[in-house]
Amino acid sequence: MQSPADILKDIWTSAGGDAGPLDRVRLTGTEPQIPCSFRVAVAGQTTIAAAGLAAAEIWRLRSGEVQDVSVDMRHAVAECRSERYLRVDDKPPPPAWDAIAGVYRTGDGRFVRCHTNFPHHRDAVCEVLGCAAEREKVQAALMHWKGEDFETAAYAAGGVVALLRSYDEWSVLPQARALAQLPLVSIERIGEAPPKPWPKGDRPLSGLRVLDLSRVIAGPVAGRTLAAHGADVLLVSGPELPAIPWLTIDTGRGKLTTFIELKSEDGRAQLRELLKDADIFSQGYRPRALAALGFAPEDAAQINPGIVYVTLSAYGHTGPWAERRGFDSLVQTTTGFNHAEGQAAGIDAPRELPAQILDHATGYLMAFGAMMARARQAREGGSWHVRVSLAQTGRWLWNLGRLDSGLDTPDLTGETVHAAFIEDMPSGFGRLKAVRHSAVLSKTPVQWARPAMPLGSHPAQWPARS
């Protein structure tokens, strides 16, 4: 079984990083940290460390100064569950899931998971089933369906659901075979441009401008991480787009936030103007949605030669499921994790991983890939496209191996986290207690210079570069 240091080395060198800086990284802690048969704590620690090391390397390129990076495993796994430890004016989070979200049996004895936290996804499930949005009625209706038929029909109707599959069932699907041909983080040159100099500043990403067009966890975590290292991150949303308020607060730390109506020409013109002066464009829209509005990677490279464009998808950019929407919990379900955890626990039912680790780890990999591509841009020029997916992160996590006694581990308590890893800060929502970033850089300490604010709080413009 690979050590955390070797796992980090693989992440770093696979994206073109030189092995030398790895000597300046210190990874502390031992696994397991939380009850799980998979190496979720190491996954969090090494992806956070990769992003931290990328920031440290950019600082070296900008200033000539080297620094050490350290990440504690327990702190990292707490950060990969940051949404559950957030407190607003000392109040805990509301229930994380919609009333009908979750796992159901189907008429052929299989299980399906429905993700219904957004109203249009809930409506699609109920429309296909012809029932009201009540748990008992959904379960009764699903007894008339085969699991895979319902999965197919729900997706066709605009819903997001997943059939519970074993790892062996998943592995023979064409989508799993397509993922096996892809790297963990894809970094591809997509256009020509001269190298962009680094702006002035006293932090690794000072003066870099990031457009963040993402929701829920993975994409927003990427933006939050870039902000922690000094980037000006502008979260672009729309007043009509559904959002999960608690996640918006937790991942909004360090960001500016504005509304732009992308369905209007005026709104698209606003985004084009912002894009002209951006360094990184990070997006997690469903496949092809932004391309239809004129913001495909190639469009962005035309508007702003030298851009780093980061794309998050659920199931990867090739294969028959490349267009399929999805969330962490669904990818866990369909790629074998929930089946395997249920087996490890000795139960005849799916069991979730004890963290949204595919989301969080993918978010840190997005930030890592964005920084590695921006460093290549400064060195070589060009426009760059970074691609990550929840399912590919899952494939990587599966291949890290299993922990025999992992499920016997006591869970990490809120009291432990709040005693060790929480910082207190103001926000536009009230006083926050939230998990601080777990990557520690010796010369450029991480911090969020801006408070989390309600969506749409700022104008659609960049702050002046200092």
Side-chain angles (χ1 to χ4, degrees):
M1 191 175 287
Q2 277 188 305
S3 69
D6 286 339
I7 294 167
L8 173 61
K9 181 180 179 180
D10 284 350
I11 297 171
W12 181 255
T13 57
S14 71
D18 178 74
L22 291 163
D23 292 339
R24 299 195 294 273
V25 181
R26 183 166 173 259
L27 302 176
T28 59
T30 57
E31 56 185 340
Q33 291 284 339
I34 55 177
C36 188
S37 72
F38 290 91
R39 302 180 73 188
V40 293
V42 163
Q45 181 186 41
T46 54
T47 52
I48 291 168
L53 184 57
E57 272 298 282
I58 286 176
W59 182 245
R60 184 187 64 79
L61 294 172
R62 293 178 70 151
S63 71
E65 189 175 45
V66 299
Q67 59 180 321
D68 298 328
V69 178
S70 60
V71 182
D72 175 71
M73 190 183 296
R74 177 161 290 196
H75 190 170
V77 79
E79 191 174 8
C80 288
R81 306 200 297 187
S82 59
E83 62 277 358
R84 72 172 63 183
Y85 303 119
L86 179 69
R87 299 293 181 267
V88 179
D89 293 331
D90 290 323
K91 296 184 179 70
W97 296 100
D98 174 73
I100 65 165
V103 174
Y104 296 87
R105 281 194 181 271
T106 54
D108 58 347
R110 302 294 296 262
F111 290 95
V112 292
R113 182 182 299 278
C114 299
H115 194 294
T116 55
N117 279 5
F118 288 163
H120 62 295
H121 292 154
R122 181 179 61 236
D123 293 346
V125 165
C126 293
E127 181 181 339
V128 169
L129 294 177
C131 71
E134 299 173 22
R135 193 163 191 88
E136 297 76 14
K137 291 182 179 178
V138 171
Q139 178 59 82
L142 278 167
M143 296 311 293
H144 299 287
W145 284 82
K146 292 182 178 179
E148 190 168 5
D149 291 347
F150 174 67
E151 179 187 55
T152 301
Y155 268 108
V160 278
V161 303
L163 176 69
L164 179 74
R165 291 177 173 85
S166 69
Y167 181 72
D168 288 344
E169 286 179 309
W170 162 250
S171 297
V172 299
L173 294 183
Q175 191 59 37
R177 294 199 295 269
L179 284 175
Q181 308 305 312
L182 300 177
L184 177 60
V185 180
S186 167
I187 303 177
E188 177 187 3
R189 188 176 180 130
I190 58 169
E192 298 306 313
K196 290 185 177 182
W198 297 105
K200 294 179 180 179
D202 59 1
R203 303 181 64 201
L205 305 186
S206 291
L208 294 188
R209 292 168 167 174
V210 179
L211 281 170
D212 180 357
L213 279 75
S214 65
R215 290 181 289 164
V216 194
I217 297 179
V221 161
R224 185 180 72 185
T225 305
L226 297 171
H229 293 295
D232 291 318
V233 179
L234 180 58
L235 174 63
V236 176
S237 186
E240 82 295 344
L241 288 176
I244 300 173
W246 207 257
L247 298 180
T248 298
I249 300 170
D250 182 49
T251 61
R253 290 174 281 160
K255 301 178 186 179
L256 301 163
T257 169
T258 195
F259 282 149
I260 295 179
E261 178 46 79
L262 292 181
K263 292 181 181 177
S264 74
E265 180 48 43
D266 286 347
R268 293 191 291 275
Q270 278 185 299
L271 187 60
R272 283 192 292 271
E273 286 302 308
L274 289 168
L275 177 54
K276 286 178 184 177
D277 292 319
D279 295 278
I280 296 166
F281 185 103
S282 179
Q283 66 94 9
Y285 273 62
R286 61 182 173 82
R288 297 186 187 271
L290 285 182
L293 300 174
F295 296 100
E298 296 74 19
D299 298 324
Q302 290 287 328
I303 295 166
N304 180 358
I307 193 70
V308 171
Y309 190 109
V310 185
T311 296
L312 165 70
S313 64
Y315 292 103
H317 61 271
T318 63
W321 287 18
E323 301 287 308
R324 187 168 282 202
R325 299 174 297 278
F327 296 95
D328 179 309
S329 58
L330 300 176
V331 177
Q332 284 189 33
T333 301
T334 206
T335 62
F337 284 99
N338 290 177
H339 176 266
E341 281 289 86
Q343 281 195 322
I347 60 174
D348 180 28
R351 179 184 171 108
E352 298 85 0
L353 300 180
Q356 300 281 92
I357 192 62
L358 305 186
D359 261 332
H360 282 271
T362 301
Y364 295 116
L365 290 171
M366 289 174 75
F368 163 70
M371 286 187 272
M372 296 296 276
R374 182 60 180 83
R376 289 181 71 172
Q377 205 291 327
R379 185 171 63 246
E380 306 171 25
S383 300
W384 297 84
H385 189 194
V386 178
R387 289 186 285 206
V388 297
S389 71
L390 301 178
Q392 187 68 327
T393 299
R395 179 174 177 272
W396 167 77
L397 173 61
W398 190 285
N399 288 334
L400 295 182
R402 305 286 291 278
L403 301 170
D404 291 338
S405 60
L407 284 173
D408 298 330
T409 306
D411 204 356
L412 189 59
T413 66
E415 290 78 10
T416 299
V417 172
H418 277 262
F421 308 129
I422 294 292
E423 59 185 3
D424 187 294
M425 70 204 76
S427 79
F429 304 91
R431 197 79 194 173
L432 300 190
K433 292 179 180 175
V435 179
R436 66 181 185 273
H437 192 44
S438 56
V440 178
L441 278 62
S442 61
K443 300 288 180 65
T444 59
V446 297
Q447 61 171 318
W448 288 294
R450 296 184 172 99
M453 295 294 290
L455 294 176
S457 290
H458 303 99
Q461 63 189 45
W462 291 114
R465 285 192 170 104
S466 58

